[in-house]
Amino acid sequence: MNWEANVRKVVPYTPGEQPKIKNIIKLNTNENPYPPAPAVAERIKETDVSDYRKYPDPTCSVLVDAIADYYNVDKKNVFVGVGSDDVLAMAFLAFFNSEKPVLFPDITYSFYDVWAQLYRIPYRQVPLKDDFTIDVDDYTGYGAGGSKASDEQKKEGCGGIVIANPNAPTGVFLGLSAIEKIVADNRDVVVIVDEAYVDFGAESALPLINKYDNLLVVQTFSKSRSMAGMRIGYAFGSEKLIKYLSDVKFSFNSYTMNMPSLELGALAIADKEYFEETRNKIIATRERTKVKLKELGFEFADSKTNFIFVKHPQRSGKEIFDALRQRNIIVRRWDIERISEYLRISIGTDEEMDQLIKALKEELKKC
Amino acid sequence: MNWEANVRKVVPYTPGEQPKIKNIIKLNTNENPYPPAPAVAERIKETDVSDYRKYPDPTCSVLVDAIADYYNVDKKNVFVGVGSDDVLAMAFLAFFNSEKPVLFPDITYSFYDVWAQLYRIPYRQVPLKDDFTIDVDDYTGYGAGGSKASDEQKKEGCGGIVIANPNAPTGVFLGLSAIEKIVADNRDVVVIVDEAYVDFGAESALPLINKYDNLLVVQTFSKSRSMAGMRIGYAFGSEKLIKYLSDVKFSFNSYTMNMPSLELGALAIADKEYFEETRNKIIATRERTKVKLKELGFEFADSKTNFIFVKHPQRSGKEIFDALRQRNIIVRRWDIERISEYLRISIGTDEEMDQLIKALKEELKKC
């Protein structure tokens, strides 16, 4: 027998391209076009790198405290990790150990099924409605609370739920009352609400954590906090939930967050004014871009995120993608049947979006 | 049914204390007493934090290339992670999926059984000999190659092997020919050699990766490279082994290494001269400390690491530990039967070790 027989073989997630060439307009990974809060640049110059010889604080207290302060919650309700991917990966491992399938939409963050496969968690992908909205009835009726699931679904049951809200790559937001209905109806499993994009105009489920101890709300520094390069994610939940999650994290790696992440993350989140200023700029650019895309005939659901998920009735997604790429403008596209005609366009600066619109206008004139 | 029924309940690893008080002599977590290579301090002042708004390179190429260059291997043989803990955690998940037990010593890095429990991997802890050395015969005879395991052991079989070399917390080194014997005799499973402390005078199994595609050699920046606070670990293996490990990593988190880790890690490893200078200083301090500890009556196996694992025939481990703590000197001790009388003392500067020796001398005079 060969050693390869015991290898966990997986099909990994494919991240968006990070090209090393300069002079491109990069609208493919929902990065923030503005730099991190000014205190980050100031503090880094004062770094005493001799501190790096020591291990970082395993409890991440400086960062946890800063997040707890900002959101006005107890630090026992806060968990931090190496980007929200790390937080979500730990949560899947910690909470989804049922033989019943975990539920999430068919069109959503494409890492969910990768984690499920990695940990051999059964899962069922629930189709979004035609307009890419979530039907709450698809996620209720499994436990004692409701009865709207089909007989077959009820028989199969539910081992947990993951909802990206706003959803990705669609950008569509599900209202808080719908989220609460799902959480309330599934008290016997953990419900994860992945709010990577919540700061661009949507509403967080954070206030619900005190009412529902089975709710985990996950957020990130990668989008609205301009710190994708630092890898900082965080989550809110009941003290009990966070304790279980921390136990799994401490069984995996005691020190996941390095010193710069802890220190610079804590400084960045404290600057509420800069955060409001930059996210409002991005929201304004998004709304302005929506108008122009509509003028060009693009179709899209309303987006509450820092991207817009568009298709054009006359031109294929692949065609537009390739044409933009030729002009050094990179957007994101998936070879997935239901969304193969769509492009996900991140919101950059006004200038970048003007160049995008100009390029699209020229391309659409062709033939 | 409550959601807690599906939680993965674990007993996490307990890291060494990271006290926030100043003016202590910290000899409890095997940190390097010297700062990182000078280029780290220079480069950090020049950081353009606006880069942080973007995701880091998921392939970690700047760091992987620097490690490949330094060790003169192909980059396809190199894997990097958030400290060697992250590398080892991924390796356990990727490679140990047999129903047969993974083998490691009873006294070794106490994270191995935690990972095994986290992932529900069966394992067997093999007792070290009385002098804390490894009996190679305990790790051979499972496959086609040998026949030295007991009938019962052979029946049970082996799903993989993990050897810390030099071992922790004993400091004892197993020669390369013995390591090769273990790897060669277990070609049907993956053998991990965890070399966190190898740079302080031991010999690496790295040259064996070309001969044995089932060997993973794990190292770290946390000890000999003075960068515990940055969380950088790495591993060497056959191209096939590294590919499987990378697939699992990319199924967990695309971007585990943040920008400062990648950039500063690459700079640090390139400075061979500084590395040689500081590790030689630590080796010299260790040898000097051994002489003084022996004069005080301490007993210990020879150490090839940046710590010494000692006991005193007249005084209990707990008693000495507490007395040092009173004097603001922190060492490490475990409440594990076989080693409860031992203290693991990290090698600091000459001055720190002089203060330790002075404190021990005074304490041993008492009663």
Side-chain angles (χ1 to χ4, degrees):
Chain A
M1 194 191 72
N2 191 276
W3 60 267
E4 290 181 70
N6 292 326
V7 169
R8 187 171 295 247
K9 291 176 195 82
V10 288
V11 180
Y13 173 79
T14 310
E17 197 188 350
Q18 293 292 337
K20 281 161 194 169
I21 47 164
K22 299 277 172 188
N23 299 319
I24 54 158
I25 298 181
K26 191 171 178 302
L27 305 175
N28 70 328
T29 53
N30 300 337
E31 288 151 334
N32 197 307
Y34 304 108
V40 172
E42 287 158 27
R43 177 66 63 89
I44 205 157
K45 309 272 184 237
E46 295 159 18
T47 307
D48 178 1
V49 299
S50 68
D51 289 344
Y52 290 172
R53 69 181 187 80
K54 289 195 192 162
Y55 282 95
D57 169 19
T59 66
C60 304
S61 61
V62 62
L63 180 60
V64 166
D65 290 355
I67 293 169
D69 276 358
Y70 183 88
Y71 289 97
N72 198 23
V73 298
D74 192 279
K75 61 186 176 182
K76 288 184 184 138
N77 300 118
V78 178
F79 178 84
V80 297
V82 182
S84 56
D85 286 345
D86 183 50
V87 175
L88 288 162
M90 295 287 173
F92 271 60
L93 183 59
F95 300 128
F96 296 155
N97 294 285
S98 167
E99 284 172 16
K100 298 174 183 172
V102 168
L103 310 182
F104 45 84
D106 62 338
I107 304 300
T108 190
Y109 185 33
S110 46
F111 224 132
Y112 299 155
D113 57 324
V114 173
W115 285 314
Q117 286 165 27
L118 175 67
Y119 297 131
R120 299 169 181 175
I121 299 165
Y123 65 96
R124 181 159 63 82
Q125 290 167 299
V126 182
L128 291 177
K129 292 197 279 191
D130 286 345
D131 62 357
F132 291 149
T133 58
I134 283 173
D135 189 341
V136 172
D137 289 353
D138 288 336
Y139 297 88
T140 54
Y142 296 95
S147 59
K148 284 172 180 162
S150 73
D151 286 350
E152 195 190 331
Q153 285 167 355
K154 266 195 254 178
K155 196 177 153 200
E156 193 185 41
C158 158
I161 290 170
V162 192
I163 304 276
N165 196 34
N167 198 9
T170 65
V172 175
F173 171 62
L174 181 65
L176 203 55
S177 60
I179 292 287
E180 180 164 5
K181 207 166 163 190
I182 293 171
V183 178
D185 199 69
N186 290 281
R187 295 302 303 270
D188 57 343
V189 297
V190 171
V191 177
I192 299 177
V193 181
D194 176 0
E195 299 186 343
Y197 299 102
V198 76
D199 290 328
F200 300 105
E203 201 181 355
S204 174
L206 171 56
L208 300 178
I209 63 161
N210 294 319
K211 199 165 164 191
Y212 302 100
D213 64 359
N214 60 320
L215 170 64
L216 188 77
V217 176
V218 180
Q219 298 194 9
T220 177
F221 278 55
S222 298
K223 321 290 180 186
S224 58
R225 308 272 169 192
S226 303
M227 288 175 84
M230 286 303 281
R231 316 305 303 122
I232 306 174
Y234 53 106
F236 303 108
S238 62
E239 187 179 333
K240 203 188 270 182
L241 202 75
I242 296 299
K243 172 71 169 63
Y244 282 129
L245 189 55
S246 294
D247 281 352
V248 164
K249 172 237 141 87
F250 278 107
S251 292
F252 179 87
N253 188 350
S254 314
Y255 312 95
T256 54
M257 309 291 288
N258 67 12
M259 286 182 176
S261 288
L262 294 175
E263 189 177 11
L264 302 176
L267 279 173
I269 203 156
D271 193 341
K272 195 173 169 70
E273 198 180 335
Y274 182 81
F275 167 73
E276 293 290 355
E277 183 195 323
T278 48
R279 76 151 168 188
N280 288 337
K281 264 157 76 173
I282 292 165
I283 291 169
T285 304
R286 179 187 70 207
E287 296 307 316
R288 192 173 157 269
T289 306
K290 282 181 187 169
V291 172
K292 295 189 181 177
L293 287 171
K294 211 153 256 173
E295 285 170 7
L296 294 176
F298 283 96
E299 295 167 359
F300 47 89
D302 192 36
S303 166
K304 293 285 183 199
T305 63
N306 69 337
F307 58 82
I308 308 175
F309 193 57
V310 308
K311 73 167 177 177
H312 199 280
Q314 276 94 47
R315 302 293 271 271
S316 85
K318 178 88 173 60
E319 198 182 348
I320 306 175
F321 178 89
D322 290 340
L324 289 175
R325 183 76 220 219
Q326 282 290 319
R327 293 162 177 267
N328 279 337
I329 300 175
I330 310 184
V331 299
R332 190 110 193 245
R333 194 189 151 261
W334 287 266
D335 268 325
I336 294 171
E337 200 185 341
R338 213 180 148 182
I339 58 171
S340 62
E341 294 307 321
Y342 283 80
L343 300 176
R344 192 193 67 184
I345 304 171
S346 306
I347 303 298
T349 60
D350 277 332
E351 295 67 35
E352 287 174 322
M353 302 321 278
D354 286 348
Q355 289 196 54
L356 169 82
I357 296 294
K358 183 165 169 281
L360 288 172
K361 203 175 279 181
E362 289 171 11
E363 282 304 322
L364 291 170
K365 268 188 204 143
K366 286 189 190 167
C367 12
Chain B
M1 193 190 75
N2 191 277
W3 61 267
E4 290 181 71
N6 291 327
V7 168
R8 188 171 293 250
K9 291 177 195 81
V10 288
V11 180
Y13 173 78
T14 309
E17 198 188 349
Q18 292 294 336
K20 282 162 193 168
I21 47 164
K22 299 277 172 188
N23 299 320
I24 53 158
I25 297 181
K26 190 168 178 302
L27 305 174
N28 70 328
T29 53
N30 300 338
E31 288 151 333
N32 197 307
Y34 304 108
V40 172
E42 286 157 29
R43 178 66 62 89
I44 205 156
K45 309 273 184 237
E46 294 158 18
T47 307
D48 178 1
V49 299
S50 68
D51 289 343
Y52 290 173
R53 69 181 187 80
K54 289 195 193 160
Y55 282 94
D57 169 18
T59 66
C60 303
S61 60
V62 62
L63 180 60
V64 166
D65 290 355
I67 292 169
D69 276 358
Y70 184 88
Y71 288 97
N72 199 22
V73 298
D74 192 279
K75 61 186 177 183
K76 288 185 185 137
N77 300 119
V78 178
F79 177 85
V80 296
V82 183
S84 56
D85 286 346
D86 184 49
V87 176
L88 289 162
M90 296 286 174
F92 271 60
L93 182 60
F95 301 127
F96 296 155
N97 295 284
S98 167
E99 284 172 16
K100 297 175 184 171
V102 168
L103 310 183
F104 45 84
D106 62 338
I107 304 298
T108 189
Y109 186 31
S110 47
F111 224 131
Y112 300 154
D113 57 323
V114 173
W115 285 314
Q117 286 165 25
L118 175 67
Y119 298 131
R120 299 168 181 173
I121 300 165
Y123 65 97
R124 182 159 63 83
Q125 291 167 299
V126 182
L128 292 176
K129 292 198 279 191
D130 286 345
D131 62 357
F132 291 149
T133 58
I134 284 173
D135 188 342
V136 172
D137 290 353
D138 289 334
Y139 296 88
T140 55
Y142 296 95
S147 60
K148 284 173 180 162
S150 74
D151 287 349
E152 196 191 330
Q153 285 167 355
K154 267 195 254 175
K155 196 177 154 201
E156 192 184 41
C158 157
I161 291 171
V162 192
I163 304 275
N165 195 35
N167 199 10
T170 64
V172 175
F173 171 62
L174 182 65
L176 202 55
S177 61
I179 291 286
E180 179 164 6
K181 207 167 164 190
I182 293 171
V183 177
D185 199 68
N186 290 280
R187 296 302 302 271
D188 57 343
V189 296
V190 172
V191 178
I192 299 175
V193 181
D194 176 0
E195 298 186 344
Y197 300 101
V198 75
D199 290 327
F200 300 105
E203 201 181 356
S204 175
L206 171 57
L208 300 179
I209 64 162
N210 294 318
K211 200 166 165 191
Y212 303 99
D213 65 359
N214 61 320
L215 170 64
L216 188 77
V217 176
V218 180
Q219 297 194 8
T220 177
F221 278 56
S222 297
K223 321 291 180 187
S224 57
R225 307 273 170 191
S226 303
M227 288 177 83
M230 286 303 282
R231 316 305 303 123
I232 306 172
Y234 53 107
F236 303 108
S238 63
E239 187 180 333
K240 201 188 271 181
L241 202 75
I242 296 300
K243 172 71 169 65
Y244 282 129
L245 188 56
S246 294
D247 281 352
V248 164
K249 172 236 141 85
F250 278 107
S251 292
F252 179 88
N253 188 351
S254 314
Y255 311 96
T256 53
M257 308 292 286
N258 68 12
M259 285 182 176
S261 289
L262 294 175
E263 189 177 11
L264 302 176
L267 279 173
I269 204 156
D271 193 341
K272 195 172 169 69
E273 199 181 333
Y274 182 80
F275 166 74
E276 293 290 354
E277 182 195 324
T278 48
R279 76 150 169 189
N280 288 337
K281 264 157 77 173
I282 292 165
I283 291 169
T285 304
R286 177 188 71 207
E287 296 306 315
R288 193 173 157 268
T289 306
K290 282 181 187 169
V291 173
K292 294 191 181 175
L293 287 170
K294 211 152 255 172
E295 284 170 7
L296 293 176
F298 282 96
E299 295 167 358
F300 47 88
D302 192 34
S303 165
K304 293 285 182 198
T305 64
N306 69 336
F307 59 83
I308 308 173
F309 194 57
V310 307
K311 73 168 179 178
H312 199 279
Q314 276 95 46
R315 301 292 272 270
S316 85
K318 179 86 172 63
E319 196 183 350
I320 305 175
F321 178 90
D322 290 340
L324 290 174
R325 182 77 220 220
Q326 282 289 320
R327 292 163 178 267
N328 280 336
I329 300 174
I330 310 185
V331 298
R332 190 108 194 249
R333 194 190 151 260
W334 288 265
D335 268 324
I336 294 172
E337 199 185 343
R338 213 180 149 182
I339 57 172
S340 63
E341 295 307 321
Y342 281 81
L343 301 176
R344 192 193 67 184
I345 303 170
S346 306
I347 302 299
T349 60
D350 277 333
E351 295 68 34
E352 287 174 322
M353 302 321 278
D354 285 348
Q355 288 196 53
L356 169 82
I357 296 294
K358 183 167 169 280
L360 287 172
K361 202 174 279 179
E362 287 171 12
E363 281 305 323
L364 291 169
K365 267 188 204 143
K366 285 189 190 166
C367 8

